[in-house]
């Protein structure tokens, strides 16, 4: 018996060493070899149990997934990738959750990055742990980047289960720290991409927190101490405003308007404005009330101005200009009567110019165009907006009406401008330039003559060929916009003229053709005019148009060419306006 046992032991040993091959033991030997083969994931899963081996094991398991994805051409649905995922997800998730506190930082971060890359619901406990542990003990150094990988996964997975933990970690992430500087963009974009309605109350509360701008410091030491808190608040409140806009939360309207009326929060103004535009009608309805100086928000603004150091109480209603900007950007026609009423009342000339300009951004009516003309004609030449003649600003804004019947009025105004000097010339040239943008072929000779009188023949020359070639054919102008030679700066006037003529002559069909070719437009000036043209040709909003514009925005955001996304500002604004108008 002893000899037999020894013989059996020898046989087993020889099988393990691979010195004997027997059909009946192939299954056994393959299992035994696999368990000791470092080229198999099971080998490294076993090593995770040993603290000394964990760092290397985590690295090797990450490589397994990376190699599998490379062989599968990054296809996570590939059967071999899925099989590997099934082997790794459970044990690694358990390890991260149960041993979070005992794992060294490098190993822990490698683990969560690997788990996050799966975008697998089975990893949710680990992702949740990453957020919750950070909220308990906020990290500051870049090596503690667990939440960076976790929040990227959240953006794609959009899991409601993670949302509360994501918010908790967000409120603890300080943008001024090395970690915050490295990941705040990722974190903000993820929350905006996958907003949770449950975040609303806390985000609104964040908007109410006071911000102290370092520029208001009375000493260098005080300024130094204010910089970091200022950066943190900008991160939290900018992100909060963006998310509240995405949620279209009506309860956020008043807090967002308060941001606009708080001078110390000027850095948040544009983000808050866009959020109000996204919220749409509730924001417009509330903003209309601010046009009355007795409104609580108008009074709030007066108090904030005093707090900011104003020594005199402003005349009239200083809240009007900002309210008009919100209404103009929102672009809803129900605001027109209220803006006209403001123009017909007692109002400072500068505010009158600003309100009239905002009227041009709203789908026009005969009443709004008439009110614009009246306001323009009532303003003296010396009226200025931040150093620019107000009449010059309005002359440029008139192009937003896309109305060729304005041409005669524009030319008449150019002839009748009172005054002298550079300001008069600037206004005259602005009026004629707008006439050039809007003129139909039958008006071209008249406008060209006016341009010649003001020594603007170069502008006529730049657009003359496209007008003569296309006449009243809108499809021809669409094609002219898309021509590569018209994207060059030397020829861009032809492209700009064509873009305006699409609005003057076009309809929804022409608009849709423009959208199809929009992403091939490389010239930023032409692209901006086309965005406004799309807006003009969609006066009542259109969900399908919004969907197409958002697809362009998303595509460019993912493009390696940063200039693509950078040029989408006007497109984003129009998408927001049309979505709120639909």
């Amino acid at each position: 018996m002893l000899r037999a046992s020894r013989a059996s032991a020898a046989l087993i040993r020889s099988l393990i060493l691979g010195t004997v091959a027997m059909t009946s033991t192939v299954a056994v030997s393959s299992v035994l070899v696999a368990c000791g083969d470092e080229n198999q994931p099971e080998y490294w899963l076993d090593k995770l149990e040993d603290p000394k081996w964990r760092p290397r094991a985590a690295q090797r398991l990450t490589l397994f997934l990376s190699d599998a994805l490379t062989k599968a051409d990054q296809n996570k649905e590939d059967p071999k990738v899925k099989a590997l995922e099934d082997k790794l997800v459970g044990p690694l998730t358990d390890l991260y959750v149960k041993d979070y506190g005992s794992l060294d930082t490098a190993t822990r971060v490698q683990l969560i990055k690997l788990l996050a890359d799966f975008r697998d619901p089975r990893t949710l406990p680990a992702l949740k742990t990453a957020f919750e542990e950070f909220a308990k003990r906020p990290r500051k150094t870049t090596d503690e980047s667990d939440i960076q990988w976790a929040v990227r996964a959240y953006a794609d997975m959009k899991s409601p289960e993670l949302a509360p933990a994501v918010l908790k970690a967000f409120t603890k992430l300080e943008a001024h720290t090395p970690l915050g500087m490295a990941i705040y963009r990722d974190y903000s974009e993820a929350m905006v991409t996958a907003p949770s309605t449950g975040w609303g109350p806390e985000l609104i509360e964040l908007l109410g927190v006071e911000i102290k701008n370092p520029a208001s410091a009375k000493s260098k030491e005080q300024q130094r101490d204010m910089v970091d808190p200022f950066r943190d608040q900008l991160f939290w409140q900018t992100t909060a405003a963006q998310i509240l806009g995405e949620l279209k939360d009506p309860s956020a309207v008043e807090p967002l308007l308060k941001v606009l009326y708080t001078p110390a929060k000027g850095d948040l103004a544009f983000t808050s404005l866009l959020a109000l535009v996204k919220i749409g009608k509730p924001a417009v309805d509330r903003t209309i009330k601010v046009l009355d100086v007795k409104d609580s928000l108008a009074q709030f603004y007066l108090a904030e101005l005093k707090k900011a150091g104003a020594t005199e109480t402003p005349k009239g209603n200083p809240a009007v200009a900002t309210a008009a900007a919100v209404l103009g950007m929102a672009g809803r026609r129900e605001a027109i009567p209220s803006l006209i009423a403001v123009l017909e009342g007692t109002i400072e000339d500068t505010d009158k110019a600003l309100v009239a300009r905002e009227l041009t951004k709203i789908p026009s009516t005969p009443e709004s165009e008439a009110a614009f003309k009246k306001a323009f004609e009532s303003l003296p030449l010396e009226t200025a907006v931040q150093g620019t003649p107000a009449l010059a600003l309005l002359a440029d804004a008139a192009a937003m009406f896309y109305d060729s019947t304005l041409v005669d009025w524009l030319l008449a105004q150019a002839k009748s401008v009172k005054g002298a000097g550079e300001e008069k010339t600037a206004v005259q040239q602005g009026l004629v330039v707008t006439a050039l943008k809007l003129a139909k072929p039958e008006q071209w000779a008249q406008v060209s003559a006016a341009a010649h009188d003001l020594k603007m023949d170069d502008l006529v020359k730049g657009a003359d060929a496209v007008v003569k070639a296309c006449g009243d054919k809108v499809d021809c102008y669409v094609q002219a916009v898309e021509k590569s030679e018209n994207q060059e700066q030397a020829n861009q006037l032809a492209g700009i003229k064509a873009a305006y003529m699409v609005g003057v002559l076009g309809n929804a069909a022409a608009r849709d053709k423009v959208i199809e070719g929009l992403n091939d437009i490389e010239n930023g000036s032409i692209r901006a005019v086309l965005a406004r043209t799309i807006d003009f040709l969609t006066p009542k909003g259109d969900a399908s148009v919004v969907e197409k514009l958002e697809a362009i925005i998303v595509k460019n955001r993912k493009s390696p060419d940063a200039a693509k996304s950078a040029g989408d500002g006007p497109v984003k604004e129009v998408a927001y306006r049309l979505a709120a108008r639909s």
Side-chain angles (χ1 to χ4, degrees):
M1 290 294 293
L2 181 60
R3 289 181 179 178
S5 297
R6 288 176 177 173
S8 298
L11 178 60
I12 292 171
R13 184 164 60 253
S14 69
L15 287 172
I16 293 175
L17 295 174
T19 57
V20 176
M22 296 180 63
T23 303
S24 61
T25 60
V26 166
V28 174
S29 65
S30 65
V31 170
L32 290 171
V33 171
C35 289
D37 186 353
E38 66 180 37
N39 293 316
Q40 299 298 323
E42 291 85 354
Y43 175 87
W44 296 104
L45 284 171
D46 288 341
K47 292 295 185 183
L48 285 174
E49 300 298 323
D50 187 341
K52 295 180 180 179
W53 280 88
R54 279 176 189 154
R56 189 180 175 194
Q59 292 173 351
R60 288 301 302 270
L61 289 170
T62 302
L63 285 174
F64 277 116
L65 179 62
S66 177
D67 290 345
L69 283 170
T70 299
K71 292 176 182 177
D73 196 24
Q74 301 304 312
N75 178 16
K76 292 182 180 180
E77 300 303 316
D78 181 272
K80 292 183 179 179
V81 175
K82 296 295 288 184
L84 181 61
E85 180 180 341
D86 289 339
K87 289 179 182 178
L88 299 183
V89 165
L92 291 180
T93 296
D94 288 343
L95 176 69
Y96 188 88
V97 173
K98 295 176 181 177
D99 295 314
Y100 179 95
S102 60
L103 292 171
D104 64 274
T105 298
T107 300
R108 193 189 70 239
V109 173
Q110 284 178 324
L111 275 177
I112 197 62
K113 184 179 184 303
L114 177 64
L115 291 169
D117 283 345
F118 284 128
R119 304 299 198 260
D120 189 317
R122 291 172 292 183
T123 66
L124 289 178
L127 300 175
K128 186 177 181 181
T129 296
F131 294 122
E132 291 179 338
E133 291 295 332
F134 181 88
K136 292 177 186 176
R137 186 173 66 84
R139 316 304 200 274
K140 299 181 183 294
T141 58
T142 53
D143 57 337
E144 299 271 2
S145 59
D146 303 55
I147 58 171
Q148 179 178 27
W149 312 114
V151 85
R152 287 183 179 181
Y154 171 75
D156 290 338
M157 298 171 72
K158 299 177 174 60
S159 170
E161 182 181 335
L162 292 178
V166 170
L167 181 63
K168 286 181 181 178
F170 164 70
T171 61
K172 301 295 183 179
L173 178 61
E174 297 177 328
H176 78 273
T177 63
L179 178 64
M181 287 188 283
I183 75 170
Y184 79 93
R185 290 185 186 276
D186 279 341
Y187 214 102
S188 180
E189 288 176 6
M191 293 181 73
V192 172
T193 299
S196 170
T197 54
W199 295 343
E202 194 159 348
L203 294 178
I204 288 173
E205 187 176 344
L206 277 176
L207 284 183
V209 176
E210 182 181 10
I211 290 181
K212 294 182 179 180
N213 195 314
S216 66
K218 297 179 180 179
S219 66
K220 289 184 179 180
E221 291 75 15
Q222 188 183 43
Q223 185 179 54
R224 180 196 59 210
D225 294 340
M226 292 169 69
V227 168
D228 288 346
F230 179 70
R231 289 178 179 172
D232 296 340
Q233 287 299 331
L234 279 186
F235 163 59
W236 289 321
Q237 295 194 36
T238 299
T239 304
Q242 287 179 294
I243 295 169
L244 290 167
E246 293 296 326
L247 293 175
K248 297 178 173 56
D249 186 350
S251 64
V253 169
E254 187 110 356
L256 287 166
L257 284 170
K258 282 188 174 182
V259 169
L260 294 182
Y261 287 120
T262 303
K265 296 189 178 184
D267 292 290
L268 302 172
F270 189 67
T271 301
S272 299
L273 175 59
L274 290 182
L276 288 164
V277 170
K278 291 181 181 180
I279 294 172
K281 191 175 186 305
V284 169
D285 291 343
R286 179 65 188 91
T287 304
I288 286 173
K289 297 177 181 178
V290 188
L291 297 173
D292 183 346
V293 72
K294 297 178 183 178
D295 182 78
S296 60
L297 279 173
Q299 293 298 308
F300 171 84
Y301 185 40
L302 286 169
E304 286 296 314
L305 289 174
K306 290 181 181 179
K307 190 186 298 184
T311 56
E312 296 181 4
T313 302
K315 297 179 181 179
N317 182 3
V320 161
T322 298
V326 174
L327 297 174
M329 183 69 81
R332 294 180 66 96
R333 277 183 171 151
E334 58 260 42
I336 289 177
S338 298
L339 291 175
I340 292 176
V342 169
L343 290 175
E344 293 176 345
T346 302
I347 183 173
E348 296 293 305
D349 283 344
T350 300
D351 286 339
K352 180 183 287 188
L354 293 172
V355 172
R357 183 180 64 178
E358 297 306 317
L359 264 182
T360 67
K361 299 178 183 178
I362 302 173
S364 64
T365 65
E367 293 78 14
S368 66
E369 288 196 30
F372 174 85
K373 290 180 183 179
K374 185 176 179 181
F376 184 97
E377 293 169 6
S378 71
L379 290 171
L381 179 63
E382 59 268 21
T383 304
V385 176
Q386 296 181 343
T388 301
L391 291 178
L393 290 178
L394 293 183
D396 180 66
M400 296 281 284
F401 285 127
Y402 286 87
D403 184 358
S404 62
T405 67
L406 285 174
V407 168
D408 289 342
W409 177 82
L410 291 164
L411 297 182
Q413 292 302 309
K415 289 182 178 179
S416 63
V417 176
K418 296 178 181 179
E422 294 180 357
E423 290 81 3
K424 178 179 179 178
T425 302
V427 174
Q428 289 177 313
Q429 290 179 338
L431 288 162
V432 174
V433 167
T434 294
L436 286 168
K437 292 174 181 176
L438 302 180
K440 288 184 176 181
E442 60 267 25
Q443 300 168 311
W444 194 245
Q446 180 188 8
V447 175
S448 298
H452 176 75
D453 292 341
L454 291 170
K455 300 179 181 180
M456 298 163 62
D457 291 314
D458 56 329
L459 298 181
V460 176
K461 183 179 178 180
D464 190 65
V466 71
V467 173
K468 291 179 177 177
C470 293
D472 286 332
K473 294 176 288 188
V474 67
D475 286 344
C476 178
Y477 286 112
V478 172
Q479 293 169 11
V481 166
E482 297 173 352
K483 285 184 178 179
S484 58
E485 60 264 32
N486 289 340
Q487 305 303 309
E488 299 173 6
Q489 189 170 2
N491 300 323
Q492 70 175 0
L493 290 175
I496 291 172
K497 172 60 178 174
Y500 273 105
M501 292 309 292
V502 174
V504 171
L505 301 172
N507 53 23
R511 174 202 65 200
D512 292 343
K513 290 179 182 178
V514 165
I515 294 174
E516 288 177 12
L518 183 61
N519 223 23
D520 294 326
I521 305 300
E522 298 176 355
N523 185 292
S525 298
I526 297 174
R527 192 175 176 87
V529 176
L530 285 177
R532 293 197 294 267
T533 301
I534 292 167
D535 185 5
F536 173 76
L537 293 174
T538 320
K540 296 182 180 180
D542 188 316
S544 65
V545 171
V546 174
E547 184 177 349
K548 292 173 185 176
L549 294 179
E550 288 180 341
I552 291 171
I553 294 165
V554 170
K555 180 180 179 180
N556 290 341
R557 186 188 304 143
K558 296 179 179 179
S559 170
D561 183 358
K564 280 284 190 181
S565 184
D568 272 343
V571 180
K572 291 178 183 178
E573 289 182 26
V574 170
Y576 300 157
R577 285 159 57 85
L578 297 186
R581 197 184 294 164
S582 301

